[in-house]
Amino acid sequence: MADFTTSTHRAKWIFTPQELRDKYKAANQRAKQALEKYGATRMEVDIDGSFSYAEPQSDAKDSAEKRPKPLKVEEEQLLRAFYEFKIQDVCDAFKFPRKIQATALIYFKRFYLQWSVMEHHPKNIMLTCIYAACKAEENHVSAEELGKGIEQDHHVILNNEMLVLQRMLEAARMEADKIMRTEAPLLFPPGQLALAALRRANVVHDILDFERYLRSILSRQQSTQAISELSVSLNTIDSLICKLEAPPTSKDVKHIDRKLKSCLDPGSHDKSKKRKHRSKESSTEVQDLS
């Protein structure tokens, strides 16, 4: 428990009851606004995780009486509870370990902190969360197998996968950007840079059992490198990121830039002084005339 008080899970994923209510309300409000604007709330998701609202309906601008009524926050909560129970049902039917069921439920709950069920149907998100949980817990099952087992289109699962894991991916991209500003790209191979970014993102979002994930990668590649050796590399990259300073501003490099110009063209300093002198004389003449 002592470790939990300083953990990123507590900092990022534990909320007060009021904070939860605010998040659900904000998602619900956004979906209502989409309904008013587009005449529908459903979002289209591309395979790369990008999304957009469906094309406006022909009657989107008709009177408010003809538009469908949005769900209330309480109705959304009831629907989420129904599909959380369904997650347990599906996991039991496939005889998945309890850890997969728990991970799938966590993914599902976190997803709907950001989105409304009016934007992404919980039946589809439920399946994707189970699929992602299987991958994270190294209990691989194909999307086709999962979809066939519950008579659902497996493309729905794959289309939503990037969306469910979007926060993790965004965090990993941000960490990769930091890594590229250090000397790590000159010291370590690209694969280790990617693993370092993923590990740092996972600290925040707690999606993978990372050491188990590393073991899986090394076994598939039949690598002779031990996890301890790889961890040393990842820790070194981590250390380089921690030492990374804020990017210098124009003001910080102004003096150095002047020195550089002088090195490149020693006469440029004299030319600059002459221009400033002429500018000062012109300014004095203007003042005298006035």
Side-chain angles (χ1 to χ4, degrees), residues 36-56:
E36 293 174 5
K37 184 175 181 179
Y38 300 104
T41 59
R42 178 173 53 86
M43 295 191 81
E44 303 287 352
V45 183
D46 203 350
I47 193 68
D48 64 354
S50 60
F51 49 85
S52 59
Y53 285 101
E55 289 296 321

Side-chain angles (χ1 to χ4, degrees), residues 5 20 82 88 100 122 136 164 170 178 201 227 237 269-270 275 281-282:
T5 58
L20 282 180
F82 174 81
Q88 294 178 324
I100 287 178
V164 168
E170 287 173 356
K178 291 179 190 174
I227 287 183
I237 296 171
H269 182 63
D270 294 332
R275 281 197 299 270
E281 286 181 342
S282 298

